[in-house]
Amino acid sequence: MNKLITAIKVRNLNFYYGKTKILAEISMDIYQNQITAIMGPSGCGKSTFIKALNRMNELEGEIKVEGRVEFFTQNIYSRRVNLNRLRRQIGMVLPKPNLFPVNIYDNVAYGVKIAGWHPKQELDKIVESAIKAATLWDEVKDKLHKSALGLSSGQQQRLCIARALAVKPKVLLMDEPTSGLDPTATIKIEELIHSLRSELTIVMVTRNTQQAARISDFTAFFGTDNNRVGRLIEFGATAQIFNHAVDERTRDYISGHLN
């Protein structure tokens, strides 16, 4: 087995919205070209945690962060960090498709255009490559200039993934990417996630423990303490977590959600 390379290192992370503490003392490594699942009960800070990995939380209000989050050894909370560049390198896909009310092509090209000018021919290639990477090309290649909002929910979510891929991120954060999708669309997204792991590091929040077991390499189980503050209960290889979890809370959660 090849030696694992840490893409994101989290150490003693405490996270606050205003004065309210949401996460306490989170420490874990997210490994390059691996799929890491984040699971746990509602209210344990899963979504807050992954948004802290590219500072998306700052768009939601006043925050305070203690501890360190390093992206290939760079402290992402340093004042010198270029946020736009950081969020291109660490992209995010939300639970529900958040497409713009424009055509399919312009949705995918949006982030690329913001990052810098490209000749039309080059932009065409970038858009096509991203849509193909999201396994959507055959379904939309003849309607690139039609509204993206006319696609099915599953197609819209894959288009959101294509938009994230177009700017060539190193890490893709996915917050319940199959939430609300039917089983067929869910399978397509899972297959897509699995196919991307050779090129990307993926961190995925999921409420579906079976999904975590199916497609992730590593799993982090979050819970809450007596003050309802989110904490990392257990982290390890997915097979270890699902078959030989150390903490009783992890075992109870998995056994209660696999049936």
Side-chain angles (χ1 to χ4, degrees):
M1 182 177 177
N2 294 331
K3 183 179 179 181
L4 294 170
I5 297 170
T6 299
I8 298 177
K9 179 185 290 187
V10 182
R11 290 294 180 270
N12 303 315
L13 174 67
N14 295 304
F15 187 93
Y16 303 77
Y17 275 125
K19 295 182 179 179
T20 304
K21 193 171 191 177
I22 307 297
L23 297 169
E25 297 298 316
I26 308 292
S27 294
M28 61 183 280
D29 288 349
I30 293 165
Y31 299 112
Q32 187 175 21
N33 297 117
Q34 302 288 301
I35 300 170
T36 299
I38 311 293
M39 66 179 194
S42 296
C44 67
K46 304 183 296 295
S47 294
T48 298
F49 173 71
I50 66 164
K51 289 177 184 176
L53 301 181
N54 71 348
R55 296 177 59 175
M56 287 292 287
N57 291 326
E58 293 174 27
L59 300 175
E60 299 175 348
E62 181 185 347
I63 70 159
K64 184 173 80 170
V65 174
E66 298 167 344
R68 288 180 70 85
V69 179
E70 296 180 359
F71 174 54
F72 291 108
T73 73
Q74 179 191 34
N75 176 15
I76 72 166
Y77 283 93
S78 166
R79 292 181 180 179
R80 293 175 292 179
V81 167
N82 181 314
L83 274 181
N84 289 329
R85 185 168 182 268
L86 175 70
R87 290 169 185 160
R88 286 197 299 271
Q89 292 181 315
I90 307 177
M92 176 166 277
V93 176
L94 299 173
K96 293 182 180 179
N98 61 328
L99 296 174
F100 303 116
V102 295
N103 65 42
I104 292 169
Y105 181 101
D106 287 339
N107 263 283
V108 178
Y110 179 81
V112 181
K113 289 179 178 179
I114 288 178
W117 183 85
H118 295 268
K120 177 67 164 62
Q121 189 174 9
E122 183 181 343
L123 190 60
D124 288 348
K125 289 181 179 179
I126 292 171
V127 170
E128 180 177 341
S129 177
I131 296 175
K132 284 181 174 177
T135 65
L136 190 58
W137 180 252
D138 289 341
E139 297 164 56
V140 303
K141 62 183 179 183
D142 297 324
K143 46 186 176 182
L144 295 179
H145 298 287
K146 293 185 178 180
S147 173
L149 302 181
L151 299 174
S152 70
S153 296
Q155 289 173 325
Q156 288 188 26
Q157 190 67 306
R158 279 184 284 149
L159 192 65
C160 289
I161 294 171
R163 185 175 62 198
L165 295 177
V167 295
K168 301 191 181 304
K170 294 181 179 178
V171 177
L172 191 58
L173 309 174
M174 310 183 86
D175 190 356
E176 298 190 44
T178 60
S179 174
L181 298 183
D182 62 55
T184 301
T186 295
I187 289 170
K188 285 187 177 182
I189 297 284
E190 288 185 5
E191 289 174 347
L192 169 57
I193 293 170
H194 195 267
S195 71
L196 292 172
R197 68 191 289 274
S198 62
E199 303 171 29
L200 284 169
T201 302
I202 296 173
V203 185
M204 179 183 68
V205 169
T206 180
R207 296 183 189 181
N208 186 332
T209 53
Q210 293 176 334
Q211 183 175 73
R214 279 195 299 269
I215 67 173
S216 69
D217 302 291
F218 290 86
T219 295
F221 175 65
F222 279 53
T224 56
D225 60 20
N226 292 334
N227 296 314
R228 297 189 176 181
V229 177
R231 292 182 177 270
L232 176 62
I233 304 301
E234 194 163 355
F235 172 76
T238 295
Q240 166 69 30
I241 295 295
F242 276 81
N243 298 317
H244 306 288
V246 173
D247 196 286
E248 183 179 4
R249 290 167 292 181
T250 311
R251 295 196 297 270
D252 288 347
Y253 183 84
I254 290 172
S255 64
H257 287 78
L258 278 179
N259 297 325

